[in-house]
Amino acid sequence: MKKQNHFALDEKLSEISRRDFMKFCGIMAVSMGLPIGVAPQIAEAITNPKRRPPVIWLHGQECTGCTESLLRASHPSLEHLIFDLISLDYHETLNAGAGHQAEAALHNSIKENAGKFILVVEGSTPLKEGGKYCMIGGRPFVDIVKETAAKAAAVIAIGSCASWGGVQSSPPNPTGATGLPEVLKGTTVVTIPGCPPNPYNFLSTVLYFLTFGKLPALDDKARPKFAYGRLIHENCERRPHFDAGRFAEKFGDEGHRQGYCLYKLGCKGPITNANCPSILFCDVGAGAWPVGTGHPCFGCTEQAVGFKIPLHTQAEVSQITPDAAHAPIETEQGKGLSAGAAGVLGGIAGVAIGAGAVIAKQLGQSEEGE
Amino acid sequence: MEIKRRDFLKGIAGGAALALAQPALALAREKSRLPDAVGILYDATLCIGCKACMVGCRKANNLPAETIGPQKLWDNPIDLSARTLNIIKKYVSGTGEYKDREINGFSFIKRHCMHCVDPACVSACPASAMTKDKKIGIVSYNKDACIGCRYCQVACPFNIPKFEWDNPFPQIVKCQLCNHLLAKGELPGCCDACPTGASLFGPAAALLEEAKRRQKMQPGSYYDFPVSTITSGKIQYQQAAQYIPRIYGENEVGGAQVLMLAGVPFEKLGLPDLPSGSYVALAENIQHTLYKGMILPIVAFGGLIFLVKRSDKNKE
Amino acid sequence: MKKEQPLGGKIFTPTFLFFLLLLIISLFFLAKRFMYGLGAVTNLSDGYPWGIWIVFDVVIGTAFGCGGYAIAIMVYLFNKGEYHPLIRPALMTSLFGYSLAGLAVFFDVGRYWQIYNIFLPWYLNPNSVMLEVALCIGAYVVVLWIEFTPAFLEKLGADSAKKSLEKIMFIFVALGILLPTMHQSSLGTMMVVAGSKLSPLWWTGLLPLLFLISCIFMGYAIVIFEASITAQRYKIADESRILSKLSGIFPWMIGIYLIIRFADVAIRGHLGLAFRGDLMGNMFLLENLLLLIPMGILFMPANRNNARMLFLSAISIILAGTLYRFNCYLIGFDPGVGWKYFPAAGEILVTVGIVSIEIMAFLWFIKRLPIYHRA
């Protein structure tokens, strides 16, 4: 990295120390599964004003939970993100202006940055009855999304609603709530599912795009592999309890208080792909994620699980591995006498003995008769 | 079941008595390890029970997990089966505190095919589905030859061949020492996975030497123990345990290519106490004495034809 | 000399229909076995890979089928022509016993669709005891059908064919003695290799000899058993004199057998196991008691002339032989701690079905084919 960039960097990030900033870049690199050496490259990418990308953030049917979780990110904090790292041109929650003013900003940005901006969509898109269940500025949300996406450099669906419809797409789904990949068929939509998703998974994806000019490796559901490549079960801090067969059977029971595995309470960790146990939430330290607080994972990042499988229904373990216990040297195996077999054998013995006795008796008689 | 060597020899004597007219019935044919035989040395005192070998075996042989119990939570077979070719079992006694001690101790034991020098399954199989490799001595199975009679299961003193009872088109399944991997220059799944060198792959002769070396170790002193293969160069510097003075598989039923060491008597670890002679040799001796070149049956047949003709004549 | 004649009469008697019903029940379980595998019907396991389908249907079934062999030894080996009338009925039971054993093997083997592999030279394993058993039983079934063909030819009235067949019959008669000698002894040798898993009460290098002797006395007992029943139910020539004469052989044969049996166990130093009061010990005692009692009874000539005593003794000997084989293959077989086996209901019913075929065939044969000498 060249020296002048360091000056530029120092200037830009006057409020935080350079050391902290590089640390942040390193953390981001690691959380994306990249070598730590990439950190300067990340720093370079996010401090170059020419590359500071415009971001347009649209809201469909949602609860703003995704935005809320992003607001609570601390490295970088949201203000850094939107003022220094990216150019957040339109975000309904964070817009300074309102009404026509805001809409004008959106139109201008789309026009100016066509082909360059990142589109982030939060919330599902209702498709029923022409999309009238979500109107913004007098227009159906679905039209806005399609129009904007056509001009975007990259499209990111943040949250489970945008990824696959979320809670409102559960049957009977009265509004026809649909995920973004379904609405924008043919366009690559990176999905960051979760309810809410971990903000760092989103930030990492954005930074990756800024740094390398391309999207990170995605899985078959277009989720970044660095965040969704593994089951929660694989990295869960309570996994040793699972392997040893130590389970909480009821909320508040002894096992629950001991921090045993929550599988029997319906934890969906064994079938849910996410990095929650590794990166945790809210930057408050160990245990800050659902399972860490004693609540079973409910599978919010997994389309077939969250809002589909009832909360306390036990999951079918998808990757079966050995338990901690060992088979004893001697075990009972094979099947012994059953009532049915005893009955059948008894019947046969009865018939045989009866027949034998009759014949033996008659043999005697015929002899006497002679 | 306790068959002492003495009884075994008496049994052989019985077989000899049967072959009345045969003056020289070979008592036990001497089969020894093939010069290029390969095998595994399992040292229970090095085993930490991590089950990496079980996972490695599943991976190497593309076997699905085997779950026992109402909930399919774990890969937790209780014994070898058609889906489990390798298992780590645990012996526990009393308080189970001390590793490799018979009393108030515990020990792991690994069970899979012993790759016998004179395998009963190979001798028993009527269709040559079980064969012993002529060079490296691995006992392998050919499903295209097998008729599913399960005589190999009856014959095997270690209960190794397993049958797919719930499959309408079943096969026999057994450890074949990952011969498909050996052919590619790779290691057997279990030895490759073992982190401590408890499962050690190598030439059978070298493994026997190694086993003998360990038997002479001073308990409590530190020694080098090779990991994964005897020549891998990977070494664990470990404290030697108190071995019981026996190398299981050295002589049992004529010897095996898989050898075992432990700190707990092998009977306690579920391994049968077997004589050094091979039952196979006895069975084959009886059979070969009676049917060698089919001479005896042909002579008998000639005699019978004569007797039948004589009897027919009498009738007339 | 009197000739064998069909006994005539109705085929579909209530007895016949009863066994037909049993057969149909067994077909249900067989269908299940072929659709879902052996584990769906049987209680077989990796510890007890052989159950009653092998032990009863084959190992014991063929011993039941040794009547023809045993009588042939008497007639041809010892040149006792007077036993000739017993040959054809005995051959018939042998025919059923062996043919159905072959059928049972087909149900039992897992990979039945390639059962012919044992006949392919490149799959031959000359070391395998079972190969010898399989080839001999296979050949003997063919020999039995050939030996029995004159009965069919008589029925069809093909006299010239029968005559030319009878000219070469001596070959098959000789084979009919040789083959059972070979495979009945080998049925014993089969368990020699099981060595460590078979209780010392049964495991011995003498297994082949004991199996051979036991199959012969079982053969005679079967002939007497069957003749007693047919004599009771159908009008056939009185054979009681031949039978009582035949039974004179039992005390000697059983005596020799028991001496070898006990001497063998005693010399190996395991007689103590018999008196431990456990299942194996008790079964050993029962098995030999069932021989000792008829031996004692038949030692007295008066009892040999008593049809009832003869019948009961024959049953006891058959049970003893049956138990001996069960013990050698199942009860004395111990694959290790924790394993257990008892046949499942479906498994037993399949065996019942096989026996039913045997009984139905027997009823049909004696009524329609020239088997017995009519009174």
Side-chain angles (χ1 to χ4, degrees):
Chain A
M1 185 174 242
K2 284 174 192 150
K3 214 168 183 191
Q4 63 203 72
N5 282 353
H6 283 278
F7 289 120
L9 190 130
D10 286 343
E11 226 172 294
K12 272 210 143 346
L13 300 164
S14 50
E15 297 145 61
I16 55 163
S17 72
R18 190 186 151 278
R19 192 188 154 85
D20 281 351
F21 178 71
M22 288 313 288
K23 199 169 133 191
F24 155 70
C25 292
I27 290 170
M28 291 323 261
V30 170
S31 82
M32 285 185 275
L34 296 169
I36 194 87
V38 174
Q41 227 176 314
I42 295 174
E44 207 272 338
I46 59 185
T47 50
N48 183 344
K50 279 184 195 151
R51 287 176 65 179
R52 211 179 125 217
V55 171
I56 292 172
W57 188 300
L58 298 179
H59 293 254
Q61 289 179 307
E62 41 83 15
C63 67
T64 321
C66 305
T67 295
E68 289 292 332
S69 83
L70 195 62
L71 286 174
R72 275 145 191 82
S74 62
H75 50 267
S77 62
L78 188 77
E79 59 272 27
H80 272 295
L81 178 76
I82 64 176
F83 293 133
D84 302 325
L85 306 182
I86 60 170
S87 162
L88 188 61
D89 291 1
Y90 181 85
H91 187 297
E92 282 156 18
T93 314
L94 304 173
N95 275 348
H100 293 298
Q101 200 185 5
E103 292 307 301
L106 174 62
H107 286 290
N108 286 341
S109 180
I110 293 173
K111 211 190 255 174
E112 265 171 45
N113 302 310
K116 281 184 271 178
F117 66 90
I118 298 173
L119 170 66
V120 181
V121 177
E122 181 180 352
S124 61
T125 312
L127 294 182
K128 254 188 203 165
E129 294 167 59
K132 72 176 187 184
Y133 294 104
C134 185
M135 308 285 279
I136 295 158
R139 297 177 63 206
F141 181 61
V142 57
D143 293 352
I144 301 172
V145 163
K146 280 184 174 165
E147 193 183 289
T148 319
K151 292 174 183 151
V155 185
I156 299 174
I158 187 166
S160 297
C161 303
S163 296
W164 41 263
V167 63
Q168 59 271 32
S169 70
S170 300
N173 193 0
T175 66
T178 310
L180 202 56
E182 192 66 21
V183 175
L184 300 177
K185 263 191 193 145
T187 314
T188 304
V189 178
V190 181
T191 61
I192 314 282
C195 193
N198 197 302
Y200 296 111
N201 291 340
F202 169 73
L203 288 171
S204 301
T205 306
V206 172
L207 287 177
Y208 190 101
F209 184 72
L210 294 185
T211 310
F212 300 107
K214 60 173 186 183
L215 295 171
L218 304 175
D219 70 6
D220 59 339
K221 289 167 187 156
R223 302 177 295 194
K225 278 188 181 164
F226 68 79
Y228 299 90
R230 281 193 167 181
L231 292 174
I232 286 182
H233 193 54
E234 285 181 85
N235 284 330
C236 181
E237 66 217 28
R238 299 193 181 201
R239 178 60 181 273
H241 293 301
F242 174 87
D243 288 342
R246 292 190 291 260
F247 296 104
E249 306 279 343
K250 267 193 268 179
F251 284 101
D253 71 359
E254 185 56 27
H256 194 226
R257 269 178 276 173
Q258 293 288 337
Y260 286 173
C261 176
L262 302 168
Y263 173 79
K264 290 193 174 175
L265 297 177
C267 181
K268 304 297 187 295
I271 48 172
T272 301
N273 280 281
N275 55 356
C276 311
S278 313
I279 67 169
L280 308 173
F281 285 83
C282 303
D283 304 317
V284 293
W289 70 294
V291 169
T293 65
H295 194 281
C297 163
F298 92 104
C300 68
T301 65
E302 208 65 54
Q303 179 170 6
V305 183
F307 316 113
K308 294 273 185 343
I309 304 179
L311 192 51
H312 300 298
T313 297
Q314 282 177 16
E316 204 167 293
V317 178
S318 58
Q319 288 177 5
I320 295 179
T321 51
D323 57 352
H326 291 86
I329 300 291
E330 288 160 2
T331 42
E332 289 283 311
Q333 290 183 80
K335 288 176 212 144
L337 179 62
S338 68
V344 170
L345 265 191
I348 294 169
V351 169
I353 292 170
V358 167
I359 290 166
K361 198 173 164 220
Q362 288 174 347
L363 276 175
Q365 279 167 354
S366 60
E367 204 141 291
E368 281 150 24
E370 269 172 23
Chain B
M1 190 99 6
E2 302 154 17
I3 296 188
K4 301 276 163 344
R5 191 183 147 75
R6 198 165 54 97
D7 307 327
F8 182 76
L9 288 174
K10 280 182 194 160
I12 290 174
L18 169 76
L20 301 163
Q22 292 288 320
L25 174 69
L27 267 181
R29 61 180 165 177
E30 279 303 316
K31 278 206 174 180
S32 51
R33 285 180 187 78
L34 297 164
D36 293 326
V38 295
I40 292 175
L41 170 63
Y42 171 76
D43 189 333
T45 69
L46 296 179
C47 183
I48 54 170
C50 69
K51 300 190 187 177
C53 57
M54 292 171 69
V55 177
C57 178
R58 290 219 183 287
K59 228 165 141 187
N61 295 291
N62 207 7
L63 289 164
E66 183 168 10
T67 57
I68 303 290
Q71 281 181 306
K72 293 179 171 21
L73 301 187
W74 302 286
D75 177 16
N76 56 352
I78 50 164
D79 204 346
L80 296 176
S81 74
R83 286 202 287 164
T84 301
L85 306 187
N86 169 30
I87 192 169
I88 296 289
K89 292 184 156 201
K90 190 181 184 187
Y91 160 83
V92 185
S93 111
T95 59
E97 291 171 70
Y98 309 106
K99 184 156 162 56
D100 303 313
R101 280 229 216 127
E102 189 185 345
I103 293 157
N104 287 337
F106 69 95
S107 174
F108 299 108
I109 184 73
K110 182 171 175 238
R111 297 301 308 273
H112 53 67
C113 179
M114 300 290 287
H115 297 280
C116 300
V117 170
D118 195 0
C121 57
V122 171
S123 167
C125 180
S128 306
M130 290 286 183
T131 48
K132 185 170 177 68
D133 188 280
K134 287 186 176 58
K135 198 163 178 298
I136 56 175
I138 291 177
V139 179
S140 53
Y141 167 74
N142 173 11
K143 69 173 184 339
D144 295 328
C146 176
I147 61 165
C149 70
R150 311 184 298 281
Y151 191 24
C152 53
Q153 294 193 285
V154 172
C156 178
F158 304 102
N159 291 332
I160 296 301
K162 301 290 171 182
F163 185 77
E164 295 176 327
W165 295 103
D166 295 322
N167 185 347
F169 304 105
Q171 290 182 32
I172 288 285
V173 186
K174 73 179 279 295
C175 158
Q176 307 186 63
L177 233 162
C178 286
N179 50 10
H180 62 296
L181 296 181
L182 294 181
K184 287 192 282 179
E186 293 172 34
L187 291 178
C190 57
C191 298
D192 198 28
C194 181
T196 65
S199 287
L200 189 67
F201 178 76
L207 293 176
L208 188 55
E209 282 308 303
E210 172 69 11
K212 284 177 178 162
R213 179 179 79 97
R214 293 184 192 181
Q215 291 265 295
K216 289 186 200 123
M217 287 175 179
Q218 194 64 43
S221 301
Y222 278 80
Y223 296 90
D224 281 345
F225 291 89
V227 178
S228 54
T229 79
I230 200 145
T231 52
S232 66
K234 282 184 274 178
I235 297 290
Q236 286 270 351
Y237 191 57
Q238 285 272 5
Q239 220 172 359
Q242 175 79 55
Y243 289 103
I244 55 152
R246 182 174 178 188
I247 303 171
Y248 195 89
E250 186 185 9
N251 298 314
E252 277 70 17
V253 284
Q257 288 174 212
V258 171
L259 304 170
M260 296 190 184
L261 292 171
V264 171
F266 288 100
E267 301 86 83
K268 302 271 176 181
L269 301 177
L271 285 157
D273 192 11
L274 296 168
S276 58
S278 110
Y279 293 102
V280 183
L282 176 59
E284 286 191 14
N285 272 333
I286 294 174
Q287 210 62 358
H288 290 185
T289 307
L290 295 174
Y291 298 110
K292 191 162 197 180
M294 292 304 279
I295 293 168
L296 205 58
I298 289 167
V299 171
F301 185 52
L304 281 169
I305 286 193
F306 167 77
L307 289 170
V308 171
K309 288 225 114 173
R310 182 193 63 175
S311 159
D312 277 350
K313 234 176 244 160
N314 282 0
K315 213 163 59 172
E316 281 155 23
Chain C
M1 201 176 170
K2 272 194 279 185
K3 278 209 67 74
E4 294 94 345
Q5 284 176 351
L7 297 176
K10 250 174 72 180
I11 292 289
F12 292 100
T13 55
T15 317
F16 189 91
L17 291 174
F18 172 71
F19 287 109
L20 191 62
L21 178 71
L22 291 179
L23 174 63
I24 291 165
I25 293 171
S26 76
L27 288 179
F28 164 76
F29 289 102
L30 275 178
K32 216 171 141 193
R33 174 259 174 273
F34 281 108
M35 280 162 75
Y36 304 108
L38 280 162
V41 174
T42 68
N43 273 356
L44 296 174
S45 62
D46 288 320
Y48 286 94
W50 286 348
I52 53 165
W53 289 1
I54 285 293
V55 181
F56 187 80
D57 301 356
V58 181
V59 179
I60 294 166
T62 58
F64 282 180
C66 277
Y69 166 56
I71 297 296
I73 289 177
M74 203 47 109
V75 172
Y76 297 105
L77 217 56
F78 297 108
N79 204 10
K80 307 270 188 206
E82 70 244 54
Y83 293 117
H84 213 273
L86 295 174
I87 275 202
R88 207 174 259 181
L91 266 183
M92 180 181 58
T93 45
S94 299
L95 190 66
F96 298 150
Y98 273 87
S99 302
L100 290 163
L103 191 68
V105 165
F106 189 77
F107 300 151
D108 185 83
V109 294
R111 298 173 72 82
Y112 51 86
W113 63 92
Q114 50 192 38
I115 197 168
Y116 59 83
N117 277 359
I118 45 170
F119 302 114
L120 300 180
W122 53 92
Y123 285 141
L124 214 77
N125 176 11
N127 293 329
S128 173
V129 184
M130 186 188 261
L131 177 78
E132 201 265 344
V133 171
L135 294 183
C136 273
I137 290 185
Y140 187 49
V141 171
V142 175
V143 166
L144 278 170
W145 282 98
I146 293 171
E147 283 190 275
F148 204 71
T149 305
F152 291 109
L153 294 176
E154 270 171 42
K155 165 98 176 162
L156 295 170
D159 281 346
S160 61
K162 191 189 162 214
K163 277 214 175 81
S164 41
L165 178 64
E166 274 172 349
K167 268 188 194 133
I168 53 161
M169 190 54 91
F170 68 94
I171 298 174
F172 298 106
V173 172
L175 277 175
I177 298 174
L178 178 70
L179 291 172
T181 313
M182 287 166 70
H183 68 242
Q184 282 298 333
S185 59
S186 290
L187 278 173
T189 318
M190 284 240 283
M191 290 313 277
V192 170
V193 79
S196 58
K197 297 202 261 185
L198 188 57
S199 160
L201 285 174
W202 290 280
W203 185 84
T204 160
L206 295 178
L207 270 168
L209 181 63
L210 294 169
F211 264 65
L212 188 62
I213 303 176
S214 67
C215 90
I216 296 171
F217 63 63
M218 276 180 84
Y220 292 130
I222 284 282
V223 169
I224 291 171
F225 172 78
E226 182 213 309
S228 303
I229 295 178
T230 40
Q232 176 68 37
R233 293 192 61 104
Y234 304 99
K235 292 261 167 277
I236 57 171
D238 187 14
E239 288 167 342
S240 55
R241 285 203 38 225
I242 316 178
L243 294 181
S244 45
K245 199 173 168 207
L246 180 66
S247 64
I249 196 173
F250 281 127
W252 302 107
M253 256 189 106
I254 294 175
I256 292 168
Y257 170 87
L258 286 177
I259 288 168
I260 298 176
R261 185 88 176 84
F262 277 89
D264 170 62
V265 178
I267 288 171
R268 283 184 296 112
H270 291 297
L271 211 49
L273 291 178
F275 302 100
R276 288 209 303 206
D278 59 359
L279 178 71
M280 286 192 196
N282 291 343
M283 281 300 175
F284 175 84
L285 294 178
L286 181 62
E287 163 202 318
N288 290 301
L289 212 60
L290 282 172
L291 284 178
L292 214 57
I293 294 170
M295 185 178 92
I297 292 173
L298 296 176
F299 201 70
M300 284 171 274
N303 285 334
R304 293 208 287 271
N305 289 323
N306 179 322
R308 189 191 287 176
M309 279 301 181
L310 202 52
F311 178 69
L312 291 175
S313 301
I315 288 181
S316 181
I317 293 165
I318 292 167
L319 286 178
T322 304
L323 189 57
Y324 175 59
R325 280 160 192 245
F326 259 124
N327 286 341
C328 283
Y329 274 78
L330 276 177
I331 295 166
F333 185 78
D334 179 9
V337 182
W339 288 103
K340 57 182 177 212
Y341 167 77
F342 195 90
E347 206 175 344
I348 300 169
L349 285 169
V350 168
T351 290
V352 168
I354 287 172
V355 174
S356 299
I357 298 177
E358 221 162 314
I359 294 170
M360 284 187 291
F362 177 84
L363 293 174
W364 190 86
F365 269 51
I366 60 166
K367 287 174 184 174
R368 290 292 178 266
L369 292 176
I371 311 289
Y372 281 102
H373 293 252
R374 275 181 98 156

